[in-house]
Amino acid sequence: MTALAPVAGELAPADRRKRTGRAHRFLRGLLRTGVHLLAVMFFVSIGTFMLLEFVPGDPAVAVLGPDATPQQYDEVRAELGLDRPLPQRYADWLGDAVQGDFGSSLRPPVRDVSGIIMSRLPVTLEIAGLAIAMALAMAIPLALWSASQSGGPGDQAVSATAYGLISIPNFLAALILIFFFVFRPDLVRTFVFAAGLLIAVGMLARRVPRVRREHPEDRLRSMGAGVAGAVAVAGIAGLLFLSWPDFPRQGFVRWTDAPNKLDNLRSVFLPAFTLALIEAAIFFRVLRNDLVTTLQEDFVLAARARGMPRRHILLREALRPSSFSLVTVAGVSLGRLIGAAVIVEAVFRLPGLGSMMVDAVAANDFRVVQGGVLAISILYVLLNLTVDSLYKLLDPRIRRV
Amino acid sequence: MSELLLEPVVAPSDATTRRRSFLGGRAGAAALTVASLVALVVGIAGSPLPLGVRLAIAAAGAIGAVRGARILASDIAGHPVDVGFWLAAGWLLLLLLSAVFADLLPLGEASDVSKTLLEPTLVRPDLLSSHPLGTDRQGLDILAGVIYGARVSLLVGLGAVAIGAFVGGAIGLLAGFYRRGLDRGVAILSDSMMAFPPLVFLMAMVAVLQPSARNVTIALGIISIPSYIRLVRANTMTLAKREFVLASRALAADDRRILLREILPNVVLPVVSYSFVIVAVLIVSEATLSFLGLSIQRPNPTWGNLIAAGQSDFDQYPHLVFGPGAVLFITVFALNRVGDRMRLWWEPKSR
Amino acid sequence: MEPTPLLDVVDQTVDLVTGDQTIQPVRSVSFQLRRGETFGIVGESGSGKSMLAKSLMHILPDNARVAAGSSVRYDGRRVDELPSREARHFWGTKMAMVFQDPMTTLNPVRTIGAQMTDPLRYHLKLSRSAARERAADLLARVGLSEPKRRLGQHPHELSGGMRQRVVIAMALSCDPELVIADEPTTALDVTVQRQILDLLADLRAERDLAMVLISHDLGLVSRHTDRVAVMYAGRFVEHAASAAVFAGEGHPYTAALLDSMPRFDAPSHTRLRSIEGRPPDLRALPAGCSFAPRCRYADDRCRQERPRLLPVGPGHDVACHRTEEAAAGAGTVLALGRDDPHELSIEQEVG
């Protein structure tokens, strides 16, 4: 028997580096992203501030229209600080903003801009948060299922649908959903019920060949499990059909105000679902393609050779490496989501940041517009930092570099 | 907008399908196509049937028709034919021609309310009548509105892309070629700006500049500049390292000559194919703005403001929203389809 | 009485669907393996040896299938007809596989410990801590220092040789009776190759494992196996005890392989010999013997009639008309002689 001395001397080179300052590297990467994002905020703030310079004519007139009193015009001009030179105005405004004072709105009723923003922010956050959660909940299982059937009819159907969904503009999607969910709810109920039944039947059909391959003793148990699953799905479909909630065309019931929390959820479901559908389509495409690539890797083959079942392969072996691209895309989608939330709030007439912006733009209330843009960019920066750190934490390969 | 830089994945019916020989061969495919077209027509026009059933039939018909046509065409041609691409290109051509020659077409009245005082209002679509897509509350013809709206969308989209491509392209070309300090700054700037929600920017811009076609075009053009910078810069950097540029340098060609003769022609193709997808995004942005009332206003019809106007009645008269909506969707879809396919052809393979 | 062979493969054939064609990378392969025996399979890339291994381990790609008429029996039972309860825990426990490149066959984002404990917990139903204990023991057995620490590391933190040891440990984790090693040392440095092969030999002896060793290196295989089969274009063309194969008196392809091996005792600047021609295109196989286009002994019969695998000596099967003729004593002198010092020649006196 040859000497099998432990290969102690073979310390892989990467090992030695690992000890030194992993935390340093992590922080450094974070800092770099932070600088990037600060650059964004800087340019955004300058950009919006400079916009005021491009207003043709007297800004005060632009805001109030031609029929206001001279006193009102003066008030607006004072608020905008038009008597001071430009750099000083910017410095003042930025200084105030950093302390949380975004000025006052220019149009009556005159309110604190930061107050308006704070009252509107939770609405937008709730919709965006729900949208992301729903999108992930829809996209991840579908992508897993689709990738495991890569090329098959199910995969083709879902992929084609996702491709189509991406081409639908947000406001149109919102209107389509309103048409079906609010104006023709019976159609939707029936569709959901029929879909549920179809899925249940499909599950049973796929069970049968599996059951046949079982040992005679196990067949009953296996069939029973299959039937239980199918009945559960059909049961849920039936339940939905019978107690389908009533979705409002517009309006928002705040979580804090609502006696019945479900009212809040009902008013938020359609807007969030609109956003979620399109985000889900994008997540699905990215994740599915990544999974298909990953599933062709050698380590998946090796895991199959070890006899690991399909579910394990999909969830444990393939999902982890593929999830990194998903996180990247999710990060990018935040920017898109914020923009999309604006539209959706307008269509559903929800009191969020988006509709605040739309109304302010229509009314030429520049202070509110500036404050809104700044607030949104802060939100954007925070979200991106979070996603970026998450990304760095998850990938062991990046962690060490 | 940065999601556009994801790898183009053409609709999966092309490359990833496991090829299976089709049952019934050519005759079977032809039968499928015809049957599906019939189903499509029934779905669109057959009013006695309930809406849900019609939708399902129409959807099945559309899918079957495209499928059958693809198998048939591939069989006849002897090599795979991407029917979806050609259909999409055909639609875009049709749209372009209608928009250009709108004045010559026998359309109803699109914008002047005084001319429609005697027209029936809120007519449902009837493909064979004088109002194929119906009329609105004021008797204005929807189809005419859609076609004139197409004009706006195309003008704004193409105009903005022109601005973005020329300005962004020039910056990207210089940054990618000369590198040095300028490049880092440009890279950071354009990368950071790209993912920031463009709509928010647009709204701010529109707040200041009054809504007009020209202002909207300029604003959208500015928004698209970072995307083009990034695209052209990346392509230029790759190209500048390749042998034919080095060979040019060896022949003592000056920088400007290299840029114009060697690099620019090779950058043009990816830019063109990418632009299709960007035009789609810009059309959506313009439609969104006009939907919100922040872009071109009535009486000039745009897809966005047509849909917005239809909101109040579309419970009973869905055609007000879904007519222009369908055209908008199909156009965006077609642009994406064509753009993705072209990107696959022309994207430099140095990836 | 001979005990039942552990593995009995009869007429294993694999159909692979690519595009519109179906090719057969593995055709009518038959062999038996007894407990403790080592069987080698040698062939160039494209000979079908990896596909054969995958077909035995039930991990063929989606577009490949074992053809009807093939049968694989393990301990007398057909493995394709195992009921699910047993099939679930068969591969990975009774039969295990060691792959070629340990960098790609280990999941880069999961720890070694996680990957090793997976089969232990799934197949052997061990608890987490018990599985970790056992995994650490296995790592120590294959020669890794600090096994407990390794469990928490990721593959890229280990060197190539260490990774392959991990792969071997994983293959042995559920006490298989048969191990298929597909080019286990090809991706490793020469110095490490020896260590790994020695490790495999030790483990085999210790656990009375049956092993299938697949490689393109005939010399390596002959030294470590009891019997060898040479594979060409999906078929076994020679099948005998290792010493007999290494003597080079069988199939011309084997002789050519042996001939192309560089030898230490050759004078310096001896040219390396290679086999003329290229491996055959499986989509357009020649009629008759697949090796005929490259064989210097091929005659018309070889080109028209496919030779079958027939005995030319005790326990020595060859699929070659010329060799058969020579063995039967009827036929011309088959001299594989050359001018080199390590001449291998068959000279049969014509009776």
Side-chain angles (χ1 to χ4, degrees):
Chain A
M1 187 157 159
T2 48
L4 286 172
V7 279
E10 262 185 271
L11 193 63
D15 253 356
R16 283 180 239 120
R17 270 195 280 125
K18 176 181 156 187
R19 311 279 171 74
T20 56
R22 193 205 278 198
H24 283 188
R25 251 188 305 282
F26 178 64
L27 285 176
R28 217 178 338 142
L30 218 52
L31 199 67
R32 212 180 341 197
T33 320
V35 165
H36 247 235
L37 294 171
L38 273 177
V40 173
M41 280 192 53
F42 180 63
F43 284 110
V44 164
S45 66
I46 287 201
T48 45
F49 197 81
M50 292 300 289
L51 275 181
L52 214 51
E53 304 306 306
F54 292 106
V55 174
D58 185 358
V61 175
V63 173
L64 295 173
D67 307 314
T69 67
Q71 186 198 13
Q72 287 170 317
Y73 284 137
D74 284 336
E75 278 170 6
V76 169
R77 287 201 201 95
E79 169 62 36
L80 287 175
L82 290 175
D83 47 333
R84 284 166 276 155
L86 179 60
Q88 192 188 0
R89 251 189 284 146
Y90 180 68
D92 289 340
W93 176 74
L94 200 59
D96 287 339
V98 166
Q99 294 174 41
D101 174 15
F102 285 17
S104 317
S105 65
L106 300 174
R107 282 277 199 124
V110 173
R111 287 178 56 191
D112 231 13
V113 171
S114 42
I116 304 177
I117 291 177
M118 288 315 284
S119 77
R120 303 260 185 162
L121 191 61
V123 179
T124 307
L125 284 180
E126 186 179 356
I127 298 176
L130 262 181
I132 294 251
M134 281 201 271
L136 288 173
M138 288 193 284
I140 294 180
L142 270 178
L144 283 169
W145 181 76
S146 212
S148 66
Q149 318 255 339
S150 170
D155 175 34
Q156 285 190 41
V158 178
S159 294
T161 313
Y163 190 77
L165 275 178
I166 294 177
S167 302
I168 303 184
N170 271 304
F171 67 91
L172 191 60
L175 288 174
I176 294 176
L177 284 182
I178 289 177
F179 182 74
F180 285 108
F181 278 74
V182 178
F183 298 150
R184 305 276 190 277
D186 289 330
L187 210 60
V188 181
R189 282 168 70 192
T190 322
F191 178 78
V192 167
F193 185 55
L197 287 180
L198 265 174
I199 293 176
V201 168
M203 284 169 70
L204 278 175
R206 285 185 49 179
R207 262 284 157 169
V208 171
R210 281 179 62 180
V211 171
R212 290 242 220 94
R213 276 184 280 147
E214 295 270 358
H215 214 257
E217 296 173 358
D218 296 323
R219 280 190 192 155
L220 197 60
R221 189 184 52 87
S222 180
M223 194 68 218
V227 169
V231 165
V233 168
I236 294 177
L239 211 67
L240 281 174
F241 182 75
L242 291 173
S243 60
W244 187 252
D246 222 351
F247 293 111
R249 159 71 179 87
Q250 64 192 39
F252 183 73
V253 180
R254 284 178 189 274
W255 187 261
T256 42
D257 298 340
N260 179 6
K261 299 302 181 194
L262 285 178
D263 284 342
N264 166 276
L265 288 175
R266 270 190 309 131
S267 59
V268 127
F269 174 77
L270 277 185
F273 189 57
T274 314
L275 294 176
L277 266 183
I278 301 185
E279 293 304 309
I282 296 177
F283 291 164
F284 168 84
R285 279 182 72 185
V286 170
L287 189 60
R288 177 215 171 261
N289 292 334
D290 217 286
L291 279 172
V292 166
T293 313
T294 307
L295 284 173
Q296 288 164 351
E297 297 269 1
D298 283 341
F299 58 82
V300 168
L301 197 65
R304 283 174 64 202
R306 289 198 287 277
M308 303 309 293
R310 222 172 65 147
R311 194 180 332 163
H312 166 96
I313 305 266
L314 279 177
L315 292 177
R316 294 298 197 80
E317 305 278 354
L319 192 55
R320 271 298 287 280
S322 299
S323 60
F324 302 124
S325 54
L326 187 63
V327 170
T328 316
V329 173
V332 167
S333 84
L334 287 172
R336 188 178 47 237
L337 204 62
I338 294 176
V342 166
I343 306 159
V344 155
E345 285 172 24
V347 175
F348 287 95
R349 299 185 197 129
L350 301 169
L353 279 181
S355 49
M356 176 191 86
M357 290 287 292
V358 174
D359 295 337
V361 168
N364 282 337
D365 196 332
F366 304 117
R367 265 284 179 268
V368 177
V369 171
Q370 282 173 336
V373 174
L374 202 59
I376 290 178
S377 61
I378 293 175
L379 198 64
Y380 171 76
V381 163
L382 285 174
L383 287 170
N384 267 285
L385 268 176
T386 318
V387 168
D388 227 44
S389 2
L390 206 70
Y391 188 90
K392 287 186 164 58
L393 279 172
L394 276 180
D395 190 350
R397 288 172 292 186
I398 291 191
R399 249 194 294 177
R400 46 186 305 88
V401 167
Chain B
M1 252 194 259
S2 50
E3 75 268 13
L4 299 170
L5 288 184
L6 293 174
E7 288 303 310
V9 177
V10 189
S13 48
D14 313 301
T16 53
T17 317
R18 267 177 284 190
R19 216 80 66 80
R20 279 179 272 257
S21 52
F22 191 70
L23 301 154
R26 216 180 264 201
L32 175 68
T33 315
V34 169
S36 305
L37 283 172
V38 168
L40 186 63
V41 169
V42 165
I44 292 182
S47 1
L49 295 167
L51 180 60
V53 177
R54 280 173 54 196
L55 279 175
I57 294 181
I63 296 173
V66 175
R67 268 299 183 86
R70 189 163 60 87
I71 296 173
L72 200 58
S74 301
D75 206 44
I76 294 179
H79 59 80
V81 171
D82 191 358
V83 165
F85 170 79
W86 292 110
L87 283 176
W91 167 269
L92 291 176
L93 191 63
L94 179 66
L95 195 72
L96 186 66
L97 290 175
S98 330
V100 167
F101 296 113
D103 300 319
L104 303 174
L105 294 171
L107 294 171
E109 180 53 47
S111 43
D112 192 343
V113 185
S114 60
K115 295 194 185 140
T116 61
L117 293 170
L118 299 174
E119 290 285 339
T121 62
L122 292 174
V123 171
R124 291 179 199 281
D126 183 352
L127 288 170
L128 304 170
S129 73
S130 60
H131 296 293
L133 287 182
T135 63
D136 72 357
R137 202 158 248 276
Q138 295 161 305
L140 293 170
D141 181 48
I142 302 276
L143 180 64
V146 163
I147 293 185
Y148 280 98
R151 254 194 199 177
V152 173
S153 293
L154 288 174
L155 274 174
V156 168
L158 293 172
V161 156
I163 296 177
F166 282 113
V167 176
I171 299 178
L173 209 58
L174 292 171
F177 191 70
Y178 286 114
R179 311 235 51 193
R180 300 195 278 250
L182 170 71
D183 179 56
R184 282 306 285 289
V186 165
I188 293 183
L189 185 59
S190 68
D191 279 354
S192 336
M193 298 311 272
M194 265 192 60
F196 190 80
L199 195 70
V200 176
F201 257 158
L202 282 174
M203 290 173 61
M205 270 193 243
V206 165
V208 161
L209 315 162
Q210 294 316 302
S212 74
R214 190 191 66 141
N215 289 341
V216 170
T217 311
I218 294 176
L220 286 174
I222 295 178
I223 292 284
S224 64
I225 288 178
S227 300
Y228 278 104
I229 293 181
R230 204 185 197 203
L231 173 73
V232 172
R233 177 173 163 270
N235 278 326
T236 309
M237 288 198 307
T238 325
L239 285 168
K241 293 191 193 118
R242 284 173 58 180
E243 292 84 33
F244 61 88
V245 172
L246 294 171
S248 262
R249 278 200 191 284
L251 294 173
D254 71 45
D255 279 350
R256 200 170 59 140
R257 198 188 163 84
I258 296 181
L259 266 178
L260 287 177
R261 288 292 209 86
E262 311 280 355
I263 296 189
L264 188 60
N266 282 295
V267 161
V268 164
L269 290 181
V271 164
V272 166
S273 53
Y274 200 67
S275 299
F276 276 87
V277 180
I278 297 212
V279 168
V281 173
L282 292 179
I283 288 185
V284 169
S285 301
E286 190 283 319
T288 310
L289 279 179
S290 56
F291 174 79
L292 294 171
L294 304 176
S295 175
I296 297 155
Q297 312 277 351
R298 298 307 302 262
N300 290 317
T302 67
W303 291 340
N305 63 30
L306 280 173
I307 296 176
Q311 273 186 97
S312 39
D313 296 304
F314 86 113
D315 182 359
Q316 297 302 314
Y317 304 99
H319 70 275
L320 295 173
V321 164
F322 292 139
V327 174
L328 176 58
F329 166 68
I330 297 176
T331 308
V332 171
F333 184 84
L335 282 167
N336 279 332
R337 193 71 165 77
V338 169
D340 276 349
R341 171 60 80 178
M342 290 171 80
R343 279 171 77 185
L344 282 177
W345 283 341
W346 289 339
E347 196 108 287
K349 292 174 186 98
S350 47
R351 287 188 159 262
Chain C
M1 199 197 59
E2 269 192 11
T4 324
L6 190 61
L7 188 68
D8 188 2
V9 179
V10 177
D11 272 341
Q12 181 82 330
T13 306
V14 172
D15 293 326
L16 183 70
V17 180
T18 57
D20 304 319
Q21 284 184 310
T22 305
I23 60 177
Q24 293 185 319
V26 175
R27 320 153 174 267
S28 277
V29 165
S30 305
F31 66 95
Q32 291 181 341
L33 193 60
R34 268 161 273 283
R35 258 174 234 284
E37 214 189 345
T38 306
F39 183 62
I41 301 181
V42 177
E44 296 169 292
S45 37
S47 56
K49 49 194 203 300
S50 283
M51 207 46 103
L52 175 61
K54 288 183 189 170
S55 73
L56 294 175
M57 287 299 294
H58 210 222
I59 51 175
L60 284 172
D62 287 332
N63 56 346
R65 285 190 292 285
V66 174
S70 314
S71 93
V72 176
R73 278 177 218 274
Y74 188 88
D75 229 356
R77 304 181 62 194
R78 291 195 57 156
V79 298
D80 46 350
E81 286 167 9
L82 287 175
S84 296
R85 187 211 277 171
E86 297 174 42
R88 262 194 279 274
H89 298 291
F90 178 73
W91 284 282
T93 51
K94 300 282 198 204
M95 282 176 65
M97 187 157 170
V98 173
F99 288 82
Q100 175 174 338
D101 185 354
M103 190 60 234
T104 58
T105 51
L106 289 173
N107 192 327
V109 303
R110 299 184 72 207
T111 59
I112 307 278
Q115 297 183 55
M116 284 198 67
T117 54
D118 279 343
L120 292 172
R121 295 178 68 189
Y122 178 67
H123 291 302
L124 302 183
K125 312 269 193 260
L126 294 181
S127 71
R128 234 173 115 193
S129 41
R132 282 182 76 89
E133 277 293 320
R134 193 178 158 110
D137 289 338
L138 282 163
L139 289 179
R141 177 64 192 83
V142 297
L144 286 182
S145 62
E146 301 180 274
K148 287 252 175 15
R149 198 173 125 237
R150 305 287 173 209
L151 290 179
Q153 289 185 318
H154 289 87
H156 54 71
E157 299 176 69
L158 305 177
S159 70
M162 289 159 82
R163 287 197 283 264
Q164 192 66 311
R165 291 174 195 264
V166 169
V167 169
I168 293 173
M170 289 209 309
L172 296 177
S173 56
C174 298
D175 289 326
E177 298 172 335
L178 191 156
V179 174
I180 301 182
D182 187 1
E183 309 259 17
T185 55
T186 309
L188 303 172
D189 294 335
V190 175
T191 44
V192 179
Q193 283 185 11
R194 180 69 187 274
Q195 293 173 2
I196 296 293
L197 287 170
D198 289 342
L199 173 63
L200 280 173
D202 285 327
L203 292 168
R204 248 178 32 229
E206 191 179 289
R207 294 165 179 240
D208 200 26
L209 287 176
M211 190 180 295
V212 176
L213 183 59
I214 301 177
S215 179
H216 61 276
D217 187 340
L218 183 52
L220 185 154
V221 170
S222 317
R223 283 194 294 276
H224 293 266
T225 56
D226 303 316
R227 298 179 60 78
V228 174
V230 178
M231 202 163 170
Y232 190 79
R235 290 183 194 276
F236 280 0
V237 295
E238 184 166 354
H239 186 169
S242 310
V245 172
F246 200 66
E249 296 173 4
H251 196 277
Y253 176 58
T254 315
L257 280 178
L258 285 165
D259 206 26
S260 61
M261 282 164 50
R263 292 277 288 257
F264 289 115
D265 49 349
S268 39
H269 303 300
T270 311
R271 286 171 153 240
L272 282 180
R273 283 171 168 263
S274 59
I275 310 179
E276 274 177 25
R278 301 159 150 268
D281 182 352
L282 289 174
R283 288 171 298 184
L285 280 174
C289 174
S290 338
F291 187 60
R294 302 166 81 183
C295 181
R296 47 156 81 181
Y297 306 104
D299 63 10
D300 286 331
R301 182 177 176 217
C302 297
R303 282 183 266 273
Q304 285 160 7
E305 187 189 322
R306 187 173 63 73
R308 312 248 304 282
L309 199 61
L310 297 170
V312 298
H316 190 156
D317 298 342
V318 174
C320 175
H321 297 304
R322 313 310 313 283
T323 315
E324 268 172 67
E325 288 161 11
T332 56
V333 168
L334 239 190
L336 302 176
R338 287 155 298 280
D339 315 306
D340 307 87
H342 55 284
E343 187 159 325
L344 299 160
S345 57
I346 298 179
E347 258 146 83
Q348 289 270 349
E349 296 308 323
V350 179

